[in-house]
């Protein structure tokens, strides 16, 4: 009985330390999100937006205003 418990614990340790750590998490999901420009209405990646007066605007609108 003790050997079975030992094998289960070893299997669980392998799963949690090796297999589960390999799972891909999408941490930069926020950066790949498209957001509508408050000024011109075009959709641009959120990481390329600039904030102006509390609103997100695209690079072109930010430079032209």
């Amino acid at each position: 009985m003790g050997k079975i418990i030992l094998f289960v614990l070893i299997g669980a340790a392998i799963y949690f330390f090796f297999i589960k750590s390999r799972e891909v998490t999408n941490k930069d999901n926020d950066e790949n999100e498209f957001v509508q420009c408050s000024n011109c209405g075009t959709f641009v990646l959120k990481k390329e937006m600039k904030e102006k007066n509390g609103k997100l605007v695209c690079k072109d609108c930010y430079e032209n205003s």
Side-chain angles (χ1 to χ4, degrees):
M1 183 71 173
K3 289 182 181 181
I4 294 174
I5 294 174
L6 181 65
F7 285 125
V8 169
L9 289 175
I10 290 172
I14 289 172
Y15 174 75
F16 284 112
F17 289 114
F18 296 107
I19 297 174
K20 190 155 177 116
S21 66
R22 292 173 129 195
E23 291 179 1
V24 177
T25 56
N26 197 357
K27 292 180 181 177
D28 45 9
N29 189 22
D30 239 9
E31 293 180 0
N32 295 329
E33 181 181 352
F34 280 89
V35 180
Q36 189 174 14
C37 174
S38 299
N39 201 14
C40 66
T42 58
F43 285 91
V44 183
L45 287 172
K46 189 173 185 178
K47 65 181 178 184
E48 295 177 2
M49 301 290 276
K50 305 246 183 186
E51 188 171 344
K52 184 174 184 180
N53 297 331
K55 297 181 181 179
L56 289 175
V57 293
C58 65
K59 186 170 60 170
D60 293 334
C61 292
Y62 186 80
E63 291 172 355
N64 293 333
S65 61

